[in-house]
Amino acid sequence: MTKDQLPGPYPRTAEERAAAAKKYNMRVEDYQPYPDDGFGYGDYPMLPNKSIHERDPWYQWDQPDVRRNWGEPMHWDFDMYIRNRVDTSPTPVPWHTMRNHFLIFLGTMLVMFALGEIYPSYRPVGPKQYPFNDLYLEKGGDPDKEPPVVMHYKI
Amino acid sequence: MASKPPRTAAEEYRPNRYVSLPAELDPSTYDTSPEKRRAEAERLAIRARLKRQYLLQLNNPKPPAVIEDPALLRWDYARTHNVYPNFRPTPKTSFLGAVFAIGPILFWIAAFKTERDYKEKRIREGKYERPFSVF
């Protein structure tokens, strides 16, 4: 590929824009480079941030797994928008609604769990009462000696 | 006082970086003006030309070993070789570079140094119990 077919610097004049649009196989009206902020995009076209999921699954693409035709300009983040990765398809519920519902639920649950940790609430309990003089022999007490009498309750 | 005009479905939906507007709510779907048709026709012409180029190579009785895609090569070149020549230090790039490139290095230098110094001080004072010690 010759130098003029490869990406170059940001187009400044209208002729450079037209040449860049022709280079990338785009209409001059469709061609929109990234803003010249010094980030290194050059004259690469800024395509809409839509993932491959949104493309027609029934059309006969040249490359069906990435739903792309030969020669079509690729999105800068093409490898992010493949079908295994980021999906920007429209959702049945608006995104802000989903976000709010999720955050309200998560916030409520976290607040309730935090309150439950700070102010625990359970039925009153006492220490566990073991039989056989508080398990004197099982705990390794001397079998010849008289164990200390442990009385837990009297009926 | 006049009431505001009712919000359109597209405004209610509020597409953002993570979800696109559904085609049903997009006014351009229902746009049948001649300008749009001419634009679509031009795009179709470009697409058809590229398709023809591709199919000629694909159905060639002696096809090349690899059918090169210039768009793919341009994408690759743009993301690897074309970034530095078009990079320019601006306030925004300098700030981002400081925060995301230099910041973590300095942070972890400081974090490791203070942690190791604190541990060394405890060892010198004899207050440190070695974990997993075999003694």
Coordinates of all heavy atoms in Angstrom, one line a residue, chain A residues 105-148:
Chain A
F105 N -32.0 -0.1 44.4 CA -32.0 -1.4 45.1 C -30.7 -1.6 45.8 O -30.7 -2.0 47.0 CB -32.3 -2.5 44.0 CG -32.1 -3.9 44.6 CD1 -33.1 -4.4 45.4 CD2 -31.0 -4.6 44.3 CE1 -33.0 -5.7 45.9 CE2 -30.9 -5.9 44.8 CZ -31.8 -6.4 45.6
L106 N -29.6 -1.4 45.2 CA -28.3 -1.7 45.8 C -28.1 -0.8 47.0 O -27.6 -1.3 48.1 CB -27.2 -1.5 44.8 CG -25.8 -1.9 45.2 CD1 -25.7 -3.4 45.3 CD2 -24.7 -1.3 44.3
G107 N -28.4 0.4 46.9 CA -28.2 1.4 48.0 C -29.1 1.0 49.2 O -28.6 0.9 50.3
T108 N -30.4 0.6 48.9 CA -31.2 0.2 50.0 C -30.7 -1.1 50.7 O -30.6 -1.1 51.9 CB -32.7 -0.1 49.5 OG1 -33.1 1.0 48.6 CG2 -33.6 -0.3 50.6
M109 N -30.3 -2.0 49.9 CA -29.8 -3.3 50.5 C -28.5 -3.0 51.3 O -28.4 -3.5 52.4 CB -29.5 -4.3 49.4 CG -30.7 -4.8 48.7 SD -32.0 -5.4 49.7 CE -31.4 -7.0 50.1
L110 N -27.6 -2.2 50.8 CA -26.4 -1.9 51.5 C -26.7 -1.2 52.9 O -26.1 -1.5 53.9 CB -25.4 -1.1 50.7 CG -24.8 -1.9 49.6 CD1 -23.9 -0.9 48.7 CD2 -23.9 -3.0 50.1
V111 N -27.6 -0.2 52.8 CA -28.0 0.5 54.0 C -28.6 -0.4 55.0 O -28.2 -0.4 56.2 CB -28.9 1.7 53.6 CG1 -29.6 2.2 54.9 CG2 -28.2 2.8 53.0
M112 N -29.5 -1.3 54.6 CA -30.1 -2.2 55.5 C -29.1 -3.1 56.2 O -29.1 -3.4 57.4 CB -31.2 -3.0 54.9 CG -32.4 -2.1 54.4 SD -33.1 -1.1 55.7 CE -34.0 -2.2 56.6
F113 N -28.2 -3.7 55.3 CA -27.2 -4.6 55.9 C -26.2 -3.9 56.8 O -25.8 -4.4 57.9 CB -26.3 -5.2 54.7 CG -27.0 -6.4 54.2 CD1 -27.4 -6.5 52.9 CD2 -27.2 -7.6 54.9 CE1 -28.0 -7.6 52.3 CE2 -27.7 -8.7 54.4 CZ -28.2 -8.7 53.1
A114 N -25.9 -2.6 56.5 CA -25.0 -1.8 57.4 C -25.7 -1.6 58.7 O -25.1 -1.8 59.8 CB -24.6 -0.5 56.8
L115 N -27.0 -1.2 58.7 CA -27.8 -1.0 59.9 C -27.8 -2.3 60.7 O -27.7 -2.3 61.9 CB -29.2 -0.5 59.6 CG -29.3 0.9 59.2 CD1 -30.8 1.2 58.8 CD2 -28.9 1.8 60.3
G116 N -28.0 -3.4 60.0 CA -28.1 -4.7 60.7 C -26.8 -5.1 61.4 O -26.8 -5.8 62.4
E117 N -25.7 -4.6 60.8 CA -24.4 -4.9 61.5 C -24.2 -4.0 62.7 O -23.6 -4.4 63.7 CB -23.2 -4.6 60.5 CG -23.1 -5.7 59.4 CD -22.7 -7.1 60.0 OE1 -21.9 -7.1 60.9 OE2 -23.3 -8.0 59.6
I118 N -24.6 -2.7 62.6 CA -24.4 -1.8 63.7 C -25.3 -2.1 64.8 O -25.0 -2.1 66.0 CB -24.6 -0.3 63.2 CG1 -23.7 0.0 62.0 CG2 -24.4 0.6 64.3 CD1 -24.0 1.3 61.4
Y119 N -26.6 -2.4 64.5 CA -27.6 -2.7 65.5 C -28.1 -4.1 65.3 O -29.2 -4.3 64.8 CB -28.8 -1.7 65.4 CG -28.4 -0.3 65.4 CD1 -28.4 0.5 64.3 CD2 -27.8 0.3 66.6 CE1 -28.0 1.9 64.3 CE2 -27.4 1.6 66.6 CZ -27.5 2.4 65.5 OH -27.2 3.7 65.5
P120 N -27.4 -5.1 65.7 CA -27.8 -6.5 65.5 C -29.1 -6.8 66.3 O -29.2 -6.2 67.4 CB -26.6 -7.4 65.9 CG -25.8 -6.5 66.8 CD -26.1 -5.1 66.4
S121 N -29.9 -7.7 65.8 CA -31.1 -8.0 66.6 C -31.3 -9.5 66.5 O -31.4 -10.0 65.4 CB -32.3 -7.2 65.9 OG -33.5 -7.8 66.3
Y122 N -31.4 -10.1 67.7 CA -31.6 -11.6 67.7 C -32.3 -11.9 69.1 O -32.3 -11.1 70.0 CB -30.3 -12.3 67.6 CG -29.2 -11.8 68.4 CD1 -29.0 -12.3 69.7 CD2 -28.3 -10.9 67.9 CE1 -28.0 -11.8 70.5 CE2 -27.3 -10.4 68.7 CZ -27.1 -10.9 70.0 OH -26.1 -10.4 70.8
R123 N -32.8 -13.1 69.2 CA -33.5 -13.5 70.4 C -32.4 -13.6 71.5 O -31.3 -14.0 71.2 CB -34.2 -14.8 70.3 CG -35.3 -14.7 69.2 CD -36.3 -15.9 69.3 NE -36.9 -15.9 70.6 CZ -38.0 -15.1 71.0 NH1 -38.4 -14.3 70.1 NH2 -38.5 -15.2 72.2
P124 N -32.8 -13.3 72.8 CA -31.7 -13.4 73.8 C -31.2 -14.8 73.9 O -31.9 -15.8 73.8 CB -32.5 -13.0 75.1 CG -33.9 -13.0 74.8 CD -34.1 -12.9 73.3
V125 N -29.9 -15.0 74.1 CA -29.2 -16.3 74.3 C -28.4 -16.2 75.5 O -27.9 -15.2 75.9 CB -28.3 -16.6 73.0 CG1 -29.2 -17.0 71.9 CG2 -27.4 -15.5 72.7
G126 N -28.2 -17.4 76.1 CA -27.2 -17.6 77.2 C -26.1 -18.5 76.8 O -26.2 -19.1 75.7
P127 N -25.1 -18.7 77.6 CA -24.1 -19.7 77.3 C -24.6 -21.1 77.2 O -25.6 -21.4 77.9 CB -23.1 -19.5 78.4 CG -23.8 -18.9 79.5 CD -24.9 -18.1 78.9
K128 N -24.0 -21.9 76.4 CA -24.5 -23.3 76.1 C -24.3 -24.1 77.4 O -23.2 -24.0 78.0 CB -23.8 -23.9 74.9 CG -24.5 -25.1 74.4 CD -24.1 -25.3 72.9 CE -24.7 -26.6 72.4 NZ -26.1 -26.7 72.5
Q129 N -25.3 -24.9 77.7 CA -25.2 -25.7 79.0 C -24.8 -27.2 78.6 O -25.7 -27.9 78.0 CB -26.5 -25.7 79.7 CG -26.9 -24.3 80.1 CD -28.3 -24.2 80.7 OE1 -29.0 -25.1 80.5 NE2 -28.6 -23.1 81.3
Y130 N -23.6 -27.6 78.9 CA -23.2 -29.0 78.6 C -23.5 -29.9 79.7 O -23.4 -29.6 80.9 CB -21.7 -29.0 78.2 CG -21.4 -28.3 77.0 CD1 -20.9 -26.9 77.0 CD2 -21.6 -28.9 75.7 CE1 -20.7 -26.3 75.9 CE2 -21.3 -28.2 74.6 CZ -20.8 -26.9 74.7 OH -20.6 -26.2 73.5
P131 N -23.8 -31.2 79.4 CA -24.1 -32.2 80.5 C -22.8 -32.7 81.1 O -21.7 -32.4 80.7 CB -24.9 -33.3 79.8 CG -24.4 -33.3 78.4 CD -24.0 -31.8 78.1
F132 N -23.0 -33.7 82.1 CA -21.9 -34.4 82.7 C -20.8 -33.5 83.3 O -19.7 -33.5 83.0 CB -21.2 -35.3 81.7 CG -22.1 -36.3 81.0 CD1 -22.3 -36.2 79.6 CD2 -22.8 -37.2 81.7 CE1 -23.1 -37.1 79.0 CE2 -23.7 -38.1 81.0 CZ -23.9 -38.0 79.7
N133 N -21.4 -32.6 84.1 CA -20.5 -31.6 84.8 C -19.6 -30.8 83.8 O -18.4 -30.7 83.9 CB -19.6 -32.3 85.8 CG -20.4 -32.9 86.9 OD1 -21.5 -32.4 87.3 ND2 -20.0 -34.1 87.3
D134 N -20.3 -30.3 82.8 CA -19.6 -29.4 81.8 C -18.6 -30.3 81.1 O -17.5 -29.8 80.8 CB -19.0 -28.2 82.4 CG -19.3 -26.9 81.7 OD1 -20.1 -27.0 80.8 OD2 -18.8 -25.9 82.1
L135 N -18.9 -31.5 80.7 CA -18.0 -32.4 79.9 C -16.7 -32.6 80.6 O -15.6 -32.4 80.0 CB -17.9 -32.0 78.5 CG -19.2 -31.9 77.7 CD1 -18.9 -31.3 76.3 CD2 -19.8 -33.2 77.5
Y136 N -16.7 -32.9 81.9 CA -15.5 -32.9 82.7 C -14.5 -33.9 82.1 O -13.3 -33.7 81.9 CB -15.8 -33.1 84.1 CG -14.6 -33.3 85.0 CD1 -13.8 -32.2 85.4 CD2 -14.2 -34.6 85.5 CE1 -12.7 -32.3 86.2 CE2 -13.1 -34.7 86.3 CZ -12.3 -33.6 86.6 OH -11.2 -33.7 87.4
L137 N -15.0 -35.2 81.9 CA -14.1 -36.3 81.5 C -13.7 -36.1 80.0 O -12.5 -36.3 79.6 CB -14.8 -37.6 81.6 CG -15.0 -38.1 83.0 CD1 -15.9 -39.4 83.0 CD2 -13.7 -38.4 83.7
E138 N -14.6 -35.6 79.2 CA -14.3 -35.4 77.7 C -13.2 -34.3 77.6 O -12.5 -34.3 76.6 CB -15.5 -35.0 76.9 CG -16.5 -36.2 76.7 CD -17.4 -36.5 77.8 OE1 -17.2 -35.8 78.9 OE2 -18.3 -37.3 77.7
K139 N -13.3 -33.3 78.5 CA -12.3 -32.3 78.3 C -10.9 -32.7 79.0 O -10.1 -31.8 79.1 CB -12.8 -31.0 79.0 CG -13.9 -30.3 78.2 CD -14.2 -28.9 78.8 CE -15.4 -28.4 78.1 NZ -16.0 -27.2 78.7
G140 N -10.8 -33.9 79.3 CA -9.5 -34.3 79.8 C -9.3 -34.2 81.3 O -8.2 -34.1 81.9
G141 N -10.5 -34.3 82.0 CA -10.4 -34.2 83.5 C -9.9 -35.5 84.1 O -10.1 -36.6 83.5
D142 N -9.3 -35.5 85.3 CA -8.8 -36.7 85.9 C -9.9 -37.6 86.3 O -10.8 -37.2 87.1 CB -8.0 -36.3 87.1 CG -7.1 -37.4 87.7 OD1 -7.2 -38.5 87.2 OD2 -6.4 -37.1 88.6
P143 N -10.0 -38.9 85.9 CA -11.2 -39.8 86.2 C -11.2 -40.2 87.7 O -12.2 -40.5 88.2 CB -11.0 -41.0 85.3 CG -9.7 -40.9 84.6 CD -9.1 -39.6 84.9
D144 N -10.0 -40.1 88.4 CA -10.0 -40.6 89.8 C -10.5 -39.5 90.7 O -11.1 -39.7 91.8 CB -8.6 -40.9 90.2 CG -8.0 -42.0 89.3 OD1 -8.8 -42.9 88.9 OD2 -6.8 -41.9 88.9
K145 N -10.3 -38.2 90.3 CA -10.7 -37.1 91.1 C -12.2 -36.9 91.0 O -12.8 -37.2 90.0 CB -10.0 -35.8 90.8 CG -8.5 -35.8 91.3 CD -8.1 -34.4 91.8 CE -7.9 -33.5 90.7 NZ -6.6 -33.5 90.1
E146 N -12.8 -36.2 92.0 CA -14.2 -35.9 92.1 C -14.4 -34.7 91.2 O -13.8 -33.7 91.4 CB -14.6 -35.6 93.5 CG -16.1 -35.6 93.7 CD -16.8 -37.0 93.4 OE1 -16.2 -38.0 93.7 OE2 -17.9 -36.9 92.8
P147 N -15.3 -34.7 90.1 CA -15.4 -33.5 89.3 C -16.2 -32.4 90.0 O -17.0 -32.7 90.9 CB -16.2 -34.0 88.1 CG -17.0 -35.2 88.6 CD -16.1 -35.8 89.7
P148 N -15.9 -31.2 89.7 CA -16.7 -30.1 90.4 C -18.1 -30.1 89.9 O -18.4 -30.3 88.7 CB -16.0 -28.8 89.9 CG -15.2 -29.2 88.7 CD -14.9 -30.6 88.8

